[in-house]
Amino acid sequence: MPTPVIVVGYDAAWPDLFAEIAKSLRALLGDAVNAIDHVGSTAVPGLAAKPIIDIDVTLCGRELIEPACQRIVQAGYGARGNRYDDDMWAFLAKREPACRVYLCPPGNETHRKRLVFRDRLRQDGALREAYGALKQQLSRRFFLDGDAYTAAKRDFIEAAIRNAPPPRW
């Protein structure tokens, strides 16, 4: 049975929930973890989102992916696989709110793009408002089709990443 695409207003509790989950992931995966990042719309203050905390865990090496996947599954996360063949291994924890964890090796391009997009939304109010409006519209259009909802956002996201200012080092 399909899961409805429900977009809700921003919840100020999301950063704290991320911090709690990140702490448990760091304890679970230990020294295999290079970085844990809050990504997705719940990571952007003021942005409407599906109430799912998205977390990217960058591991210290590609060889650590398989054992980390095993630990995540043993901890109760449902395995979703490498759905887009982008070296991002997805897991879902059904709780309130739900949590998706993505394991990736260092230097993963999908992870880099997620951080660029998140940071653009955090810094550009007009972009954030436009994206929020698009998400609301698409959630009504694709209420029972999460894959179509995600695909319909792709052009907006890619344009935002393409037009991102160069990083400041």
Side-chain angles (χ1 to χ4, degrees):
M1 174 175 224
T3 303
V5 176
I6 299 172
V7 174
V8 301
Y10 180 76
D11 186 334
W14 288 337
D16 291 335
L17 291 168
F18 159 75
E20 288 175 25
I21 298 165
K23 184 178 178 181
S24 70
L25 289 169
R26 191 165 293 280
L28 178 68
L29 300 173
D31 291 341
V33 174
N34 181 50
I36 299 177
D37 294 292
H38 191 184
V39 296
S41 295
T42 62
V44 181
L47 181 61
K50 293 188 300 180
I52 301 171
I53 307 295
D54 288 317
I55 299 175
D56 283 2
V57 178
T58 304
L59 300 174
C60 293
R62 183 174 305 282
E63 72 282 0
L64 299 171
I65 290 177
E66 187 175 331
C69 287
Q70 291 172 0
R71 284 187 169 175
I72 292 278
V73 168
Q74 290 169 352
Y77 287 81
R80 300 292 205 198
N82 183 6
R83 291 184 63 198
Y84 303 106
D85 198 29
D86 60 357
D87 237 5
M88 297 282 286
W89 298 89
F91 301 85
L92 178 67
K94 293 184 179 181
R95 60 176 129 214
E96 287 298 322
C99 172
R100 276 191 301 241
V101 174
Y102 299 88
L103 299 179
C104 65
N108 182 274
E109 184 63 11
T110 297
H111 172 65
R112 184 195 70 78
K113 288 179 179 179
R114 286 181 187 199
L115 294 179
V116 168
F117 185 57
R118 179 203 65 192
D119 292 347
R120 289 258 4 248
L121 291 171
R122 285 178 173 175
Q123 296 163 2
D124 185 334
L127 184 69
R128 182 173 51 250
E129 285 181 31
Y131 187 54
L134 176 65
K135 289 163 58 81
Q136 294 285 2
Q137 173 195 8
L138 294 175
S139 71
R140 291 186 295 274
R141 182 173 169 200
F142 299 111
F143 182 66
L144 291 176
D145 190 345
D147 287 340
Y149 166 83
T150 299
K153 297 184 302 178
R154 189 167 294 124
D155 288 344
F156 184 98
I157 294 168
E158 288 176 0
I161 293 168
R162 213 176 21 255
N163 296 324
R168 295 182 199 172
W169 304 106

